[in-house]
């Protein structure tokens, strides 16, 4: 499937409402459960997505669009959310994520990006040369990957409860080694 | 995490709205894309979840609750949805899933299940002896597993579009071998 700006923005628009439908008001054990030490809970994922809005995707898009001789991205801290959200509740994080995403989408729409803009270059600190198009596609995939992670991490909380059905639940066995 | 009937029903309640937020009105390539031959698209997953409402979880719960000498489940057809929904559109499938799930939740609530009910036995055609509690836990995990699948299958549609970011997207590399 080729990149399409309009449908990419459509997917990005959906993530806050999808996560709210899945998580808002759920009891704590579902929201705070992880896959083991140093892995993300659903709560952590929402915090990580907020970090993405504030420090990753749009700041990097702005660096690309500003052009200049060295459109190099800042390093991204995947664990910023742990300190930032230590005293927060999930409901307020979901609302904050929805607001930040809506603001970022509005700014992105205001750029009225052309096909030529999408090929503008940036320099990722570890991945090297990338384009704005690749950054926007990665933003979409990053959302979907973390949505899959939330569902998988929730599923794992009931691993001990399904008896022999574990054999029919590839959501557990596909990803034996957890990640943050 | 121990099984809890109330919060299990809460998770089951959320699945139709979560899938609608993610999928309703999305362009066809996102909805119909798969991970390869004989694997499920997002459209297929919604059809499979409808099959679950009509032929799997509640019919099997009824068999358990009816008791008797041989509470044996019917065999479940994982591909029933392919014939059933050949001429359908996703929007109507999402509405149908929401209606069926709401009806099944209402019936389940009407049973006012006790702790003793949850230990009642059933016989799975291939997995052997199970309990109602395990069936209800498996229903929850089945929802979450297929939600993770939808997000993963969508993510894979952009695999060729993110350039070097593929290295940072475990949603692709966790599950190299696709499944239906």
């Amino acid at each position: 499937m080729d990149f399409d700006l309009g449908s990419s923005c459509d997917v990005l628009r959906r993530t806050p409402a999808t996560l709210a439908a899945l998580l808002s008001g759920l009891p704590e054990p579902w929201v705070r459960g992880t896959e083991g030490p140093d892995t993300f809970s659903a709560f952590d994922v929402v915090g990580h997505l907020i970090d993405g809005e504030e420090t990753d995707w749009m700041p990097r898009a702005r660096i690309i669009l500003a052009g200049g001789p060295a459109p190099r991205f800042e390093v991204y801290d995947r664990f910023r959310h742990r300190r930032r959200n230590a005293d927060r509740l999930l409901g307020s994080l979901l609302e904050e994520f929805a607001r930040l995403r809506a603001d970022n989408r509005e700014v992105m729409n205001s750029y009225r990006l052309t096909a030529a803009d999408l090929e503008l270059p940036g320099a990722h600190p570890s991945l090297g040369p990338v384009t704005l198009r690749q950054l926007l596609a990665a933003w979409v995939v990053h959302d979907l990957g973390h949505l899959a992670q939330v569902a998988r991490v929730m599923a794992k909380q009931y691993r001990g409860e399904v008896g022999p059905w574990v054999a029919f639940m590839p959501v557990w066995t596909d990803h034996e080694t957890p990640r943050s």
Side-chain angles (χ1 to χ4, degrees), chain A:
Chain A
M1 184 173 150
D2 292 335
F3 179 80
D4 177 75
L5 182 61
S7 81
S8 295
C9 291
D10 192 5
V11 176
L12 290 173
R13 178 180 62 82
R14 291 159 184 270
T15 308
T18 303
L19 287 169
L22 181 61
L23 298 173
S24 184
L26 259 190
E28 282 282 295
W30 287 107
V31 169
R32 298 285 188 164
T34 68
E35 292 176 286
D38 295 323
T39 66
F40 283 3
S41 66
F43 181 91
D44 293 329
V45 168
V46 178
H48 172 67
L49 291 171
I50 287 173
D51 288 352
E53 297 306 296
E54 292 189 327
T55 68
D56 188 347
W57 309 105
M58 281 298 292
R60 290 176 169 189
R62 283 194 193 94
I63 287 169
I64 291 176
L65 289 166
R72 190 174 178 81
F73 307 154
E74 301 289 320
V75 172
Y76 172 73
D77 176 5
R78 297 190 70 244
F79 299 96
R80 172 184 185 258
H81 58 97
R82 292 203 167 152
R83 300 181 305 279
R84 182 188 188 278
N85 305 324
D87 301 321
R88 299 286 298 276
L89 295 174
L90 182 66
S92 81
L93 285 190
L94 287 166
E95 288 170 16
E96 186 176 19
F97 174 51
R99 194 168 57 245
L100 290 166
R101 173 60 58 90
D103 291 348
N104 279 338
R105 286 180 52 248
E106 191 172 322
V107 173
M108 187 61 72
N109 286 340
S110 74
Y111 292 151
R112 302 193 179 283
L113 296 174
T114 65
D117 292 334
L118 293 174
E119 303 312 317
L120 289 171
H124 190 284
S126 60
L127 297 173
V130 296
T131 65
L132 181 58
R133 180 173 51 78
Q134 290 167 342
L135 180 139
L136 296 175
W139 193 0
V140 171
V141 172
H142 183 265
D143 268 26
L144 293 168
H146 282 294
L147 176 59
Q149 181 185 23
V150 167
R152 182 186 76 237
V153 171
M154 289 175 67
K156 286 193 174 180
Q157 307 311 308
Y158 261 5
R159 182 155 192 162
E161 295 300 322
V162 304
W165 261 290
V166 70
F168 285 178
M169 299 292 171
V171 70
W172 290 322
T173 50
D174 284 350
H175 191 82
E176 291 285 356
T177 308
R179 68 166 184 274
S180 65

